[in-house]
Amino acid sequence: MPRALTIQRTIVPASERARYLARARQRAEYYAKAGCRFWIFEEAALPGAFIEFTEAKDRGTLSAAHADAPEKPLDAKRIYQEVELT
């Protein structure tokens, strides 16, 4: 089965940055325990503009992890599957 990925964008005010990053660390721990990887990236030219990626080995693992997550992603149903380029 191909890997699966969800993407979420968020804008975080400077006053909320520390809180956002603390919550992101908690999400990363949760997703690691659920068999997923979780990354966040910040736009270089726009501090506070983040994009979050959650990846799993397959769609079922990712769907289950989102369903049980303490903080549900906004659009957990929009799952991207890896496309083989062979």
Side-chain angles (χ1 to χ4, degrees), residues 32-83:
K33 289 176 185 172
C36 301
R37 295 193 56 189
F38 177 82
W39 302 276
I40 62 170
F41 291 79
E42 184 175 25
E43 186 173 337
L46 185 59
F50 292 95
I51 187 166
E52 302 175 0
F53 297 92
T54 309
E55 179 199 24
K57 63 181 180 176
D58 57 57
R59 184 182 182 124
T61 300
L62 186 56
S63 292
H66 283 328
D68 294 336
E71 287 187 51
K72 307 279 190 269
L74 295 176
D75 197 2
K77 301 270 186 219
R78 181 169 278 177
I79 295 177
Y80 296 85
Q81 292 189 158
E82 182 179 23
V83 175

Side-chain angles (χ1 to χ4, degrees), residues 7-17 20-21 27 39-53:
I7 303 167
Q8 181 170 302
R9 296 177 189 272
T10 187
I11 302 293
V12 178
S15 62
E16 293 293 316
R17 183 184 185 83
Y20 168 78
L21 292 174
R27 286 195 303 279
W39 302 276
I40 62 170
F41 291 79
E42 184 175 25
E43 186 173 337
L46 185 59
F50 292 95
I51 187 166
E52 302 175 0
F53 297 92

